[in-house]
Amino acid sequence: MSLPKPVMRGMLAKRLRFHLPMAFILSFGAAIAFKYTVTEPRKQAYADFYKQYDAAKDFSAMKETGIFESVRPSGE
């Protein structure tokens, strides 16, 4: 009793018929999951931050603490 010969002709095409569509489906699923679990909340957080962000107020606070070397505080 001998082992049957493995089927080698057309093996790659047969396996790709199943694995290639599955790879595309899984990659699109991962991209969609990443978009809605990471990207959208991050964009919303940035939007919420910049709704109430005042750049002039932030600049004057940094100026008063002496962070900038070229800008003098108001008291000097």
Side-chain angles (χ1 to χ4, degrees):
M1 181 169 177
S2 63
L3 292 173
K5 284 187 165 184
V7 178
M8 300 299 279
R9 186 176 303 273
M11 189 166 87
L12 177 63
K14 182 181 177 185
R15 290 182 61 87
L16 281 179
R17 260 186 241 118
F18 173 74
H19 287 99
L20 197 60
M22 290 303 293
F24 277 110
I25 290 169
L26 290 175
S27 64
F28 282 127
I32 290 170
F34 185 81
K35 176 180 172 49
Y36 288 110
T37 59
V38 176
T39 315
E40 293 297 324
R42 187 177 292 174
K43 286 187 343 188
Q44 187 62 42
Y46 274 106
D48 293 342
F49 174 77
Y50 282 110
K51 278 181 190 172
Q52 52 193 344
Y53 179 68
D54 185 14
K57 182 177 144 187
D58 200 22
F59 173 75
S60 64
M62 287 189 281
K63 184 173 74 171
E64 293 299 322
T65 59
I67 291 176
F68 302 116
E69 295 178 6
S70 62
V71 179
R72 295 182 186 210
S74 302
E76 290 183 11

